[in-house]
């Protein structure tokens, strides 16, 4: 058996042995500073990543590094309280390991979130953007021998983000009085933030927001047959001119924490309808 699959199976068995009768069908990935949902999970079982075979420590700012299994919006869920990133020095197999573990545990739908730099005209810090498509500028996590037990060699990525979930999120946001944007998310490896020339290029090719995560997880999720819904919290806004002061990591986390209440409300309402 492929050593990657052995690692996945061992990690999944370790998590399964600790969650009792829980059988979550919904997975949630919480990005930088977006841990509010984790605080609302009821009857929670908290499993530190470092206690799971094959899992490293999450080192990024605002990422606590736990699986949390319990009930949210009346449904059984498994949430990633923090994720792994390529810029931490992890391979794409490790970056996406939690997604494959959640698939092994039986999830069918994945909600992903991130903090991102905004480039659409009119964006303000704290705005929410539904990810309707993406541009990948990171290594593809499917490079290498295919894991046939998860999916086919050449998965279609025409519509990686589920249209039904997008429509449901728009409906629920309207009920809540929360304005949503829709746009294209672009992922780079990081860890440095973008140059002005890069921002201009990304905007020119159609990106609405840029970050350092999410897309590898989405590619693996789609390869595994999961439905995906994605949302970016806009934590800094690019302005093409001398007034653009750059990006600060601590400020990004603070902005994400402030906006996460809105995101939590939308996720809660959407998940309750599933």
């Amino acid at each position: 058996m492929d050593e990657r699959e052995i690692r996945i199976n061992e990690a999944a068995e370790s998590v399964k042995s600790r969650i009792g009768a829980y059988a979550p069908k919904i997975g949630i990935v919480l990005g930088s500073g977006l841990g509010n949902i984790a605080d609302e999970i009821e009857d929670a079982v908290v499993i530190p990543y470092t206690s799971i075979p094959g899992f490293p420590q999450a080192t990024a700012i605002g990422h606590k590094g736990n699986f949390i299994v319990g009930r949210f919006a009346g449904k059984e869920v498994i949430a990633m309280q923090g994720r792994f990133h390529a810029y931490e020095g992890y391979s794409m197999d490790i970056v996406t390991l939690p997604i494959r573990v959640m698939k092994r545990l039986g999830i069918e739908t994945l909600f992903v979130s991130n903090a991102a730099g905004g480039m659409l005209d009119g964006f303000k810090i704290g705005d929410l953007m539904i990810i309707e498509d993406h541009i990948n500028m990171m290594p593809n996590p499917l490079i290498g021998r295919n894991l046939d037990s998860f999916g086919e060699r050449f998965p279609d990525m025409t519509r990686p983000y589920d249209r039904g979930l997008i429509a449901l999120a728009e409906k629920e946001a309207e009920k809540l009085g929360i304005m949503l944007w829709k746009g294209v998310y672009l992922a780079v490896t990081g860890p440095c933030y973008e140059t002005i020339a890069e921002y201009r290029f990304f905007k020119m090719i159609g990106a609405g927001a840029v970050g350092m995560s999410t897309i590898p997880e989405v590619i693996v999720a789609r390869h595994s047959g999961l439905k995906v819904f994605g949302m970016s919290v806009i934590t800094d806004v690019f302005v093409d001119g001398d007034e653009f002061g750059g990006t600060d990591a601590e400020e990004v986390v603070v902005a994400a924490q402030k906006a996460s209440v809105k995101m939590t409300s939308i996720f809660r309402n959407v998940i309750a309808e599933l």
Side-chain angles (χ1 to χ4, degrees), residues 4 84-97 100 134-144 153 157 185-191 211-221:
R4 295 170 299 167
F84 305 125
H85 303 80
Y87 65 72
E88 296 173 84
Y90 299 132
S91 69
M92 281 298 161
D93 286 338
I94 295 298
V95 169
T96 58
L97 173 60
R100 289 189 168 119
H134 68 229
I135 298 170
N136 186 33
M137 299 189 74
M138 301 176 75
N140 192 304
L142 302 183
I143 291 173
R153 169 78 281 186
M157 293 293 291
Y185 175 81
L186 183 147
V188 294
T189 59
M212 305 172 191
S213 67
T214 303
I215 293 179
E217 297 155 335
V218 171
I219 290 173
V220 164

Side-chain angles (χ1 to χ4, degrees), residues 36-264:
N36 276 17
I37 287 176
D39 297 333
E40 293 194 18
I41 295 176
E42 300 173 343
D43 302 319
V45 177
V46 179
I47 305 171
Y49 293 155
T50 50
S51 72
I52 303 171
F55 272 56
Q57 175 65 55
T59 67
I61 296 173
H63 293 254
K64 291 186 178 180
N66 300 309
F67 267 140
I68 302 181
V69 183
R71 294 180 180 85
F72 177 71
K75 303 294 170 62
E76 294 185 2
V77 303
I78 177 168
M80 289 178 62
Q81 194 178 29
R83 54 158 53 96
F84 305 125
H85 303 80
Y87 65 72
E88 296 173 84
Y90 299 132
S91 69
M92 281 298 161
D93 286 338
I94 295 298
V95 169
T96 58
L97 173 60
I99 307 303
R100 289 189 168 119
V101 168
M102 288 194 286
K103 168 65 177 180
R104 277 285 185 261
L105 292 170
I107 73 162
E108 298 172 351
T109 304
L110 182 69
F111 289 74
V112 294
S113 65
N114 58 56
M119 293 173 287
L120 295 180
D121 295 337
F123 262 157
K124 296 181 178 62
I125 291 175
D127 282 349
L128 302 178
M129 186 190 85
I130 290 175
I131 304 173
E132 59 181 351
D133 207 341
H134 68 229
I135 298 170
N136 186 33
M137 299 189 74
M138 301 176 75
N140 192 304
L142 302 183
I143 291 173
R145 191 162 63 251
N146 188 53
L147 289 173
D148 295 332
S149 64
F150 284 88
E152 61 187 21
R153 169 78 281 186
F154 300 106
D156 179 61
M157 293 293 291
T158 306
R159 296 182 181 87
Y161 303 90
D162 188 81
R163 290 184 169 186
L165 292 173
I166 290 173
L168 181 55
E170 290 178 305
K171 183 182 77 172
E172 295 303 323
E174 185 175 0
K175 289 180 185 177
L176 294 164
I178 297 174
M179 188 192 78
L180 290 180
W181 296 73
K182 284 197 297 187
V184 175
Y185 175 81
L186 183 147
V188 294
T189 59
C192 54
Y193 290 112
E194 294 70 35
T195 69
I196 289 177
E198 287 168 337
Y199 269 122
R200 288 171 178 162
F201 172 63
F202 298 158
K203 187 174 181 179
M204 181 178 70
I205 63 174
V210 59
M212 305 172 191
S213 67
T214 303
I215 293 179
E217 297 155 335
V218 171
I219 290 173
V220 164
R222 293 300 301 131
H223 177 249
S224 302
L226 303 179
K227 290 184 178 180
V228 177
F229 175 79
M231 181 172 285
S232 293
V233 175
I234 303 305
T235 52
D236 56 286
V237 177
F238 170 63
V239 179
D240 194 351
D242 292 338
E243 63 269 36
F244 181 59
T247 308
D248 178 86
E250 297 286 352
E251 292 176 358
V252 165
V253 172
V254 170
Q257 289 170 339
K258 290 180 179 178
S260 65
V261 174
K262 294 188 295 183
M263 189 196 75
T264 298

